[in-house]
Amino acid sequence: MVEPGERGATRIADRVVAKIASQAAREALRVDAGAAAADAAAGAGAADVAGVVDTADADVTDAADVGLAGLAAARPHAVAVVRGDVARVRVAVELGYPSDIGAHCGAVRRHVIERVGELTGMEVPEVVVTVERLHVPQWEHPERRVRRGRDRVR
């Protein structure tokens, strides 16, 4: 007779693994932003060093005032394919410019592998990180430079 604990199977859906990966990428970018902010306190400007667009904690009241901070597109997006106990993941992120793109992607890759493995028990042999967009702070608010009358297109 088969023991009760050994009966049946547990299957974790692709979209659940993708959600975990997306959250893990967000956590990794938040940690990178915190470390960069600490470096910025030592001399450089936080906007120049952080390199990460993190909108999770922003209190967004007017999207025009905060640029893209209110858009869901700034959050990492993940897609996963699960076969048995193996998950392959693709994560799309947006970063600030200038930033160390390789370091941010490496941190995301490591954290996604760690968190998906911890929470699902799956092996994650491949995490592809794609940088979808770079945000440049002075380009975020072009509407502030518009002068009435002379610069309008008619």
Side-chain angles (χ1 to χ4, degrees):
M1 177 162 255
V2 178
E3 294 294 319
E6 296 177 11
R7 296 179 195 158
T10 301
R11 182 181 181 313
I12 300 173
D14 294 1
R15 66 184 180 168
V16 172
V17 174
K19 182 72 170 184
I20 293 168
S22 177
Q23 182 62 32
R26 192 168 169 195
E27 291 168 2
L29 293 175
R30 188 175 301 137
V31 167
D32 277 358
D39 291 344
D48 294 337
V49 179
V52 177
V53 176
D54 182 20
T55 61
D57 300 322
D59 180 23
V60 179
T61 55
D62 184 3
D65 289 340
V66 293
L68 298 174
L71 299 178
R75 295 193 177 122
H77 175 73
V79 176
V81 176
V82 176
R83 296 287 181 254
D85 289 338
V86 177
R88 298 192 188 285
V89 180
R90 293 183 169 275
V91 182
V93 298
E94 295 184 6
L95 302 175
Y97 178 85
S99 67
D100 186 348
I101 295 171
H104 289 304
C105 291
V108 167
R109 190 175 294 108
R110 285 187 298 276
H111 197 65
V112 167
I113 289 170
E114 178 185 329
R115 294 296 286 163
V116 170
E118 281 177 5
L119 296 174
T120 65
M122 293 181 180
E123 178 187 351
V124 186
E126 178 182 17
V127 176
V128 176
V129 180
T130 305
V131 178
E132 295 270 321
R133 184 172 182 185
L134 295 175
H135 295 275
V136 180
Q138 65 266 26
W139 294 351
E140 293 291 325
H141 303 289
E143 67 278 358
R144 290 184 182 168
R145 293 191 177 124
V146 174
R147 285 178 250 144
R148 295 184 187 256
R150 289 188 293 169
D151 292 338
R152 290 188 0 203
V153 177
R154 294 175 192 235

